Amino acid sequence: MTTPGFSNTVAPSDIAIASPRFLASDNTSGICPEAMHYLLQANEQDDLAYGNDVWTERASSHFRTLFEADCEIFFVFNGTAANSLALASLCQSYHGVICHQLAHIETDECGGPEFFSNGSKLLPVDTPMGKLTPEGIASVVTRRNDIHYPRPKVVSITQATEVGTLYSLDELQAIREVADQHDLRIHMDGARFANACASLNVTPAEMTWKAGVDVLCFSGTKNGLAFGEAIVFFDRELARDFEYRCKQAGQLASKMRFVSAPWLGLLENNVWLANARHANAMARRLVNGVHDIDGIEVMFPVQANSVFLEVPASAQQYLRDCGWTFYTFIGEGGVRFVCSWNTSETLIDALVADLRQALAQHAQQ
């Protein structure tokens, strides 16, 4: 089976073949040791089901400490469920959700937000660098106000964005201000929330409720877990009956401790932050390594753990033949590499070397 953006082409005999070298996504990495430790601990003895276990309570308590708030925490299996259910709790079926046109909820969640909200409409905006702006949000809100058009109710922002850029705290506050003007809630898709906190050197509280975010979907999968996302409500009233949404959507794990316990491995001793810092550092190593290679252009500022490069098609094929994995969904010639908690300097340096070779061969054609 061929993965989209990848190739199973047999490589020329003069290219040294390595086993697949995964940089297409931080979803390809394994479980970090600290998370595995708690997963195994949770397996040592039986406990109550459906989130009534001690592990889920401990993890929830750690989240409240981390966010400096008496927030409500819910654990689900994946990001699509987290985003879709969170958005459904913020709006009715006749409402609209303002998002960037590249937002994951718009391009990659198979209509999940619309499905779980019974029809609320996504209202995408085309603004630079993958980031919503107050002006872009206002333009959607004021576009129409008749009863035939869905009423905008939620702003959904992704931090870090789908192109690896970051909202500053000032930008988040500006979005909160325009949201207040138009009675809008704010949802944050935090698939790479940890990487954003690490890069901006801000606390989770500063990035969320102190900047006006109402609900956060915090990814554990991309930060070292096998599976599991945390939905964090900073206004408990918004979380009313949310456990029923999780149950109805098939997201209430009977053995919830195996979802929640590994979070302790990330939350204790700030492992989540160390993992993110390492991934970010590897992305910087990559972009620094290719800055002087003729024929390669950096598409977006590298501010977290994702690197987007313009690479000629022939050079892309060379990389595939060398065993590299990457996605190619941002325009013709655009490739994405994403670094993880376990990405090594050796791996990055090998990619830079192969990019040099690939562009050298391309120049000769």
Side-chain angles (χ1 to χ4, degrees):
M1 177 178 176
T2 301
T3 303
F6 300 162
S7 170
N8 291 338
T9 306
V10 177
S13 59
D14 60 340
I15 296 178
I17 297 297
S19 59
R21 291 177 280 184
F22 295 105
L23 281 171
S25 173
D26 34 13
N27 287 327
T28 61
S29 62
I31 308 173
C32 73
E34 296 85 355
M36 181 66 80
H37 169 75
Y38 274 104
L39 182 64
L40 294 175
Q41 274 207 351
N43 193 48
E44 289 181 358
Q45 61 185 33
D46 294 351
D47 209 324
L48 296 173
Y50 300 112
N52 296 307
D53 57 278
V54 296
W55 301 99
T56 300
E57 178 54 37
R58 284 178 61 185
S60 298
S61 178
H62 270 57
F63 270 109
R64 295 183 182 108
T65 299
L66 180 68
F67 284 96
E68 308 168 43
D70 186 25
C71 42
E72 282 276 21
I73 316 296
F74 299 88
F75 298 98
V76 296
F77 293 109
N78 58 37
T80 295
N83 287 330
S84 300
L85 295 174
L87 289 170
S89 73
L90 299 178
C91 57
Q92 300 292 332
S93 59
Y94 50 84
H95 285 146
V97 177
I98 301 170
C99 64
H100 195 275
Q101 68 171 7
L102 297 177
H104 204 268
I105 60 172
E106 165 69 6
T107 64
D108 291 281
E109 294 188 345
C110 198
E114 296 94 331
F115 176 81
F116 284 103
S117 63
N118 291 317
S120 60
K121 183 175 175 58
L122 298 183
L123 304 171
V125 185
D126 181 10
T127 41
M129 295 294 168
K131 297 192 290 184
L132 290 176
T133 64
E135 296 77 15
I137 294 168
S139 71
V140 175
V141 177
T142 59
R143 182 183 300 160
R144 289 175 60 177
N145 59 8
D146 59 274
I147 200 168
H148 305 289
Y149 190 73
R151 180 188 173 193
K153 190 61 178 178
V154 181
V155 175
S156 179
I157 55 181
T158 310
Q159 181 77 317
T161 73
E162 283 76 12
V163 295
T165 53
L166 300 177
Y167 291 91
S168 69
L169 295 187
D170 287 344
E171 288 173 320
L172 292 176
Q173 189 58 51
I175 289 174
R176 179 71 263 175
E177 290 172 5
V178 74
D180 287 340
Q181 293 170 15
H182 299 287
D183 188 29
L184 304 173
R185 296 291 189 181
I186 296 181
H187 159 262
M188 179 176 281
D189 178 348
R192 296 181 176 92
F193 177 79
N195 303 93
C197 287
S199 183
L200 293 175
N201 194 29
V202 299
T203 68
E206 290 171 330
M207 184 82 83
T208 53
W209 63 270
K210 290 185 177 181
V213 173
D214 294 300
V215 58
L216 164 73
C217 297
F218 189 168
S219 175
T221 307
K222 291 178 169 59
N223 193 238
L225 300 190
F227 49 81
E229 318 294 297
I231 306 172
V232 185
F233 285 90
F234 301 103
D235 180 347
R236 283 178 171 264
E237 186 61 28
L238 294 176
R240 182 185 294 273
D241 292 341
F242 192 77
E243 62 268 30
Y244 290 92
R245 289 190 185 277
C246 292
K247 172 63 179 180
Q248 188 180 63
Q251 294 294 314
L252 178 63
S254 57
K255 297 182 180 181
M256 182 66 79
R257 69 187 188 276
F258 296 117
V259 180
S260 58
W263 274 101
L264 291 170
L266 296 186
L267 298 175
E268 289 186 353
N269 303 312
N270 285 329
V271 171
W272 67 275
L273 187 58
N275 284 350
R277 284 174 173 164
H278 174 79
N280 291 355
M282 293 303 97
R284 290 194 300 271
R285 188 180 186 91
L286 173 55
V287 77
N288 290 339
V290 302
H291 81 278
D292 62 345
I293 301 179
D294 291 337
I296 290 182
E297 299 292 335
V298 180
M299 299 175 66
F300 303 99
V302 178
Q303 298 178 337
N305 63 322
S306 301
V307 180
F308 291 82
L309 303 175
E310 284 276 3
V311 179
S314 63
Q316 289 183 34
Q317 188 58 52
Y318 181 95
L319 294 178
R320 292 188 181 100
D321 292 339
C322 289
W324 294 103
T325 66
F326 49 87
Y327 284 123
T328 55
F329 56 82
I330 303 290
E332 184 177 357
V335 302
R336 186 191 78 167
F337 299 101
V338 183
C339 301
S340 305
W341 68 270
N342 62 346
T343 300
S344 67
E345 293 182 355
T346 300
L347 187 70
I348 295 299
D349 293 345
L351 174 58
V352 171
D354 282 346
L355 278 165
R356 288 189 186 279
Q357 184 61 32
L359 269 295
Q361 289 199 9
H362 174 76
Q364 295 171 5
Q365 294 177 356

